[in-house]
Amino acid sequence: AQSVTQLGSHVSVSEGALVLLRCNYSSSVPPYLFWYVQYPNQGLQLLLKYTSAATLVKGINGFEAEFKKSETSFHLTKPSAHMSDAAEYFCAVSDISNFGNEKLTFGTGTRLTIIP
Amino acid sequence: GAGVSQTPSNKVTEKGKYVELRCDPISGHTALYWYRQSLGQGPEFLIYFQGTGAADDSGLPNDRFFAVRPEGSVSTLKIQRTERGDSAVYLCASSLTTGAYEQYFGPGTRLTVT
């Protein structure tokens, strides 16, 4: 079974500061990993995904994440936080051995607050 | 183009009643997923359709939950004899094809059982 752990249910950073949201995964097979963002009263939007190509993945809105197999991590970063980054962020994993079935297993989420 | 839409956006029902939640995926998307998001939690997988068939319903919590996708497009999630514990946001997502690993989510239906 696969699982994802997001450390820190709430993270606050100052505008312009580094954003670091942590995600660790557990998987018996090489996983595909994802970060989604959820703004209030909106659906989940894909920020970026790791699908076994480059380990450093760049996404939308200046976010990036690095897949580190030795640490079973896929932390999300952004060099400089903007007020518009305030949202809920979810890390998710998909079992690529379930060919055709790309169902996601999500973490519990991290709420990011930006301090002006 | 139009994204995934879900109706209604909010549904309040009494315990024991039957409800239907509708999902309109992006046109041409063959894969459709339902998830349930309880307060303070991440979404949890319920069921996966490939075309008209339910390829994986392992996430449905019990036999009160059922979903259909008769023409391979619109899907309906049906909940019988609703319980207060069913209160959650129900999310639908669609994907163009297998191998894309990119699901597009709708805004969800917030179900409240009183």
Side-chain angles (χ1 to χ4, degrees):
Chain A
Q2 298 181 304
S3 65
V4 167
T5 302
Q6 291 185 240
L7 296 176
S9 58
H10 291 83
V11 170
S12 296
V13 301
S14 298
E15 189 175 15
L18 171 72
V19 175
L20 171 61
L21 304 183
R22 299 179 186 274
C23 173
N24 288 87
Y25 69 90
S26 173
S27 177
S28 58
V29 297
Y32 282 3
L33 293 158
F34 307 80
W35 277 99
Y36 280 83
V37 60
Q38 187 175 38
Y39 298 101
N41 300 316
Q42 294 187 28
L44 292 155
Q45 181 182 8
L46 180 66
L47 275 178
L48 49 80
K49 61 182 178 182
Y50 166 76
T51 55
S52 74
T55 56
L56 181 62
V57 181
K58 294 186 183 298
I60 62 172
N61 301 338
F63 284 93
E64 64 181 36
E66 186 171 9
F67 172 70
K68 291 187 176 181
K69 184 177 179 180
S70 61
E71 299 177 7
T72 61
S73 69
F74 190 58
H75 302 330
L76 182 71
T77 61
K78 182 174 181 177
S80 177
H82 295 167
M83 295 300 296
S84 60
D85 294 328
E88 186 95 21
Y89 291 80
F90 293 94
C91 183
V93 63
S94 186
D95 182 356
I96 63 171
S97 66
N98 287 337
F99 179 75
N101 184 350
E102 300 171 4
K103 65 181 177 182
L104 298 166
T105 300
F106 286 88
T108 52
T110 297
R111 181 168 299 280
L112 177 64
T113 299
I114 310 299
I115 304 166
Chain B
V4 177
S5 62
Q6 294 185 245
T7 54
S9 56
N10 281 282
K11 176 70 176 179
V12 181
T13 190
E14 293 180 348
K15 179 176 178 296
K17 299 290 188 182
Y18 168 83
V19 296
E20 290 189 352
L21 311 180
R22 177 186 168 108
C23 172
D24 280 87
I26 295 173
S27 177
H29 281 197
T30 59
L32 186 145
Y33 301 81
W34 283 97
Y35 296 86
R36 179 169 72 172
Q37 186 175 17
S38 300
L39 192 62
Q41 301 296 316
E44 293 179 308
F45 169 77
L46 294 176
I47 188 169
Y48 156 59
F49 287 90
Q50 183 58 248
T52 60
D56 181 356
D57 64 358
S58 63
L60 295 178
N62 51 60
D63 60 6
R64 295 187 297 105
F65 288 74
F66 190 70
V68 296
R69 194 185 186 200
E71 298 179 356
S73 179
V74 171
S75 177
T76 305
L77 179 65
K78 308 180 180 191
I79 310 174
Q80 298 178 320
R81 305 184 304 280
T82 53
E83 299 178 356
R84 292 193 180 88
D86 299 335
S87 297
V89 176
Y90 290 81
L91 298 168
C92 175
S94 70
S95 180
L96 178 60
T97 184
T98 58
Y101 285 92
E102 187 155 346
Q103 295 180 29
Y104 294 83
F105 282 80
T109 293
R110 182 176 299 276
L111 176 66
T112 303
V113 182
T114 62

